[in-house]
Amino acid sequence: MWGANLSGTFNALRVIYKPQLCMPQLVIPDFSKLPIPLCFNKNRIKAVVLDKDNTFAKPYDDKVYAGYKVGWDRLRQCYPGAKLLIVSNTAGTTDDKDYKQAERIEKTIGVSVLRHSTKKPGCHKEVMEFFRENGICDSPKEVVVVGDRLFTDVIMANMMGSYGVWVRNGVIQNNQLVSKVEKYYYSRLLNKGYKPLDPSKNG
């Protein structure tokens, strides 16, 4: 179901014994509703991790969706430079030969793309290394992960001890089986009374 993403397959199984791993701390219908600046439990957010495909861009498109331009510009103003990081499971991975796709996205969008050897959600340590090396932040509690996938983006946020923002609808409707499974599982957790993890109470 997750293809070659062994990290996604293995780590998604973690929700069997810890369901809250796939529960976001914030749910928004689409990227235009992202609250800027971001703040959780009075924690000052210093860095934002962004998924690209179907979060702020159409799948396989390397430019920001036109309807999100105003919010995107505000986000870049609030989190300039290395405070904003794109983490993709295609661009910047070992599947991206010579990181050509990552370089193209950086040139077109103007935001750094993480080079990582492990796909989401298993690359959370590499994400924090990027922010530490660039002098942005040391604590995952100061990081927010924004994406349209519960089993990759949101699980990664919770594994990091960060805050996860789930873009529920994406740019276009996702009819893939894994997306339907994620949404069904999430609705079941809500019905059973599960609450998201609180990073401010951990560590």
Side-chain angles (χ1 to χ4, degrees), residues 47-68:
V48 180
V49 173
L50 295 172
D51 173 58
K52 181 181 74 71
D53 288 344
N54 217 30
T55 295
F56 66 83
K58 289 182 178 179
Y60 312 110
D61 193 352
D62 293 339
K63 61 180 180 293
V64 177
Y65 180 63
Y68 302 157

Side-chain angles (χ1 to χ4, degrees), residues 57-93:
K58 289 182 178 179
Y60 312 110
D61 193 352
D62 293 339
K63 61 180 180 293
V64 177
Y65 180 63
Y68 302 157
K69 188 68 168 57
V70 173
W72 175 262
D73 289 344
R74 188 164 66 248
L75 183 67
R76 288 197 64 187
Q77 289 173 2
C78 192
Y79 301 96
K83 293 182 179 181
L84 205 58
L85 177 66
I86 294 172
V87 181
S88 170
N89 267 352
T90 51
T93 69

Side-chain angles (χ1 to χ4, degrees), residues 102-113:
E103 291 175 358
R104 185 170 65 249
I105 292 171
E106 289 173 337
K107 183 177 180 180
T108 303
I109 296 179
V111 173
S112 295
V113 176

Side-chain angles (χ1 to χ4, degrees), residues 16-164:
I16 295 174
Y17 65 88
K18 195 171 185 179
Q20 298 98 319
L21 281 173
C22 73
M23 297 193 73
Q25 284 72 32
L26 176 64
V27 180
I28 57 175
D30 61 60
F31 191 78
S32 69
K33 302 301 187 294
L34 185 68
I36 305 168
L38 288 149
C39 184
F40 289 87
N41 297 327
K42 298 182 180 180
N43 282 344
R44 181 187 169 206
I45 301 302
K46 297 182 179 179
V48 180
V49 173
L50 295 172
D51 173 58
K52 181 181 74 71
D53 288 344
N54 217 30
T55 295
F56 66 83
K58 289 182 178 179
Y60 312 110
D61 193 352
D62 293 339
K63 61 180 180 293
V64 177
Y65 180 63
Y68 302 157
K69 188 68 168 57
V70 173
W72 175 262
D73 289 344
R74 188 164 66 248
L75 183 67
R76 288 197 64 187
Q77 289 173 2
C78 192
Y79 301 96
K83 293 182 179 181
L84 205 58
L85 177 66
I86 294 172
V87 181
S88 170
N89 267 352
T90 51
T93 69
T94 53
D95 293 338
D96 183 8
K97 188 176 180 181
D98 298 325
Y99 299 126
K100 290 182 179 179
Q101 186 179 1
E103 291 175 358
R104 185 170 65 249
I105 292 171
E106 289 173 337
K107 183 177 180 180
T108 303
I109 296 179
V111 173
S112 295
V113 176
L114 182 70
R115 274 58 164 176
H116 52 111
S117 57
T118 305
K119 292 188 177 183
K120 293 183 292 187
C123 61
H124 52 94
K125 292 182 180 179
E126 293 169 279
V127 171
M128 286 309 304
E129 285 175 7
F130 174 89
F131 290 132
R132 290 189 183 107
E133 289 173 357
N134 283 278
I136 304 301
C137 62
D138 292 314
S139 173
K141 297 175 186 178
E142 299 171 316
V143 179
V144 167
V145 179
V146 183
D148 71 311
R149 296 290 308 280
L150 293 172
F151 287 174
T152 53
D153 304 308
V154 173
I155 285 181
M156 183 175 76
N158 283 313
M159 287 174 65
M160 287 172 63
S162 301
Y163 295 92

